[in-house]
């Protein structure tokens, strides 16, 4: 495991070995069955290319009324619980007592991307955000705490974990592209990113 500090982001390369990555994919399967992935629409009416769902007391949704956390999937059911295997990653890398109440599950298929944004819909920015990469490689771009300016990019591979906290908690970031089929972890290819946050 190597650790990279980039603009305050703590990037733990290879934090999860293959067995732990496979275990996470296994615990995600029933979650994706009971809370299926959906394609959010932004407040301007554009469909995002990434498909999403959540686990936890709160899930992140976006539609014509804007971005928000809510207790139900767009189809009306409660979100499944966050599995212990995922909470363990949070505990390992943050060392804080508090547990996340939202695990956003992003699925990146071929040709998908995530524009530069801040994670700023949470109530308290003193808690870190933890992001777990599973499956195909992704080009992660890190900017600044205000929009624009120079950026730096790093490839995230399956098993990498990123902690965004402290002064970097509100740093802009995004995914430019994925290398489709670069990993064999997910049977149909693509990438899953789990984002753990204390939302409320
Ligand atoms: C995000 O910031 O919403 C996702 C980051 C990632 O996919 O690695
Ligand atoms: Mn984000």
């Amino acid at each position: 495991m190597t650790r990279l500090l980039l603009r305050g982001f703590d990037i733990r390369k290879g934090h999860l070995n293959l067995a732990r990555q496979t275990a996470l994919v296994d615990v995600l399967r029933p979650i994706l069955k009971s809370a299926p992935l959906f394609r959010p629409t932004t407040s301007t009416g554009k469909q995002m290319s990434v498909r999403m769902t959540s686990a936890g007391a709160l899930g992140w949704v976006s539609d014509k009324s804007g971005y928000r956390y809510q207790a139900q999937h767009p189809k009306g059911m409660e979100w499944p619980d966050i599995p212990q295997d995922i909470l363990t990653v949070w505990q390992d890398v943050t060392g804080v007592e508090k547990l996340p109440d939202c695990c956003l599950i992003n699925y990146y298929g071929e040709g998908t991307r995530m524009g530069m944004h801040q994670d700023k819909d949470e109530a308290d920015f003193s808690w870190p955000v933890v992001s777990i990469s599973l499956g195909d490689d992704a080009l992660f771009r890190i900017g600044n705490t205000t929009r624009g300016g120079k950026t730096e990019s790093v490839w995230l591979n399956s098993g990498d974990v990123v902690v965004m906290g402290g002064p970097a908690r509100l740093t802009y970031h995004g995914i430019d592209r994925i290398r489709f089929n670069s990993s064999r972890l997910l049977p149909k290819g693509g990438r899953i990113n789990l984002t753990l946050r204390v939302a409320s």
Side-chain angles (χ1 to χ4, degrees), residues 4-157:
L4 212 76
L5 272 176
L6 202 55
R7 300 189 175 207
F9 283 15
D10 179 6
I11 303 170
R12 294 162 180 250
K13 303 291 297 174
H15 180 77
L16 301 170
N17 65 20
L18 186 58
R20 286 184 77 191
Q21 295 169 39
T22 306
L24 290 188
V25 174
D26 287 343
V27 297
L28 287 172
R29 248 179 226 117
I31 293 179
L32 295 171
K33 254 197 188 122
S34 59
L37 293 165
F38 58 92
R39 251 180 104 182
T41 309
T42 65
S43 50
T44 57
K46 272 199 200 141
Q47 271 222 315
M48 295 177 69
S49 61
V50 170
R51 293 192 294 148
M52 310 184 168
T53 189
S54 293
L58 291 171
W60 189 85
V61 298
S62 170
D63 55 26
K64 283 187 216 105
S65 346
Y67 310 119
R68 65 191 175 277
Y69 284 100
Q70 66 178 38
Q72 290 87 22
H73 184 281
K75 291 220 159 90
M77 61 283 205
E78 312 256 288
W79 308 99
D81 290 339
I82 306 176
Q84 184 54 52
D85 282 11
I86 296 177
L87 295 174
T88 300
V89 178
W90 166 277
Q91 289 169 318
D92 286 351
V93 299
T94 67
V96 299
E97 285 287 316
K98 180 98 174 166
L99 289 176
D101 54 7
C102 176
C103 174
L104 178 69
I105 303 163
N106 286 332
Y107 176 75
Y108 295 77
E110 193 167 8
T112 58
R113 57 187 302 279
M114 169 80 65
M116 293 293 277
H117 65 276
Q118 292 172 297
D119 285 18
K120 59 168 186 194
D121 300 323
E122 299 72 37
D124 182 351
F125 302 135
S126 60
W127 301 112
V129 171
V130 171
S131 135
I132 303 170
S133 293
L134 297 168
D136 290 342
D137 305 341
L139 189 57
F140 185 55
R141 186 188 289 270
I142 306 171
N144 304 285
T145 50
T146 51
R147 193 172 271 290
K150 287 201 172 130
T151 64
E152 285 177 88
S153 296
V154 61
W155 281 97
L156 295 180
N157 311 109

Side-chain angles (χ1 to χ4, degrees), residues 173-194:
H173 57 277
I175 296 289
D176 286 352
R177 60 193 159 94
I178 68 160
R179 269 190 200 126
F180 190 67
N181 271 337
S182 51
S183 156
R184 299 255 55 85
L185 188 74
L186 307 178
K188 291 178 190 152
R191 170 177 188 258
I192 288 176
N193 175 260
L194 304 176

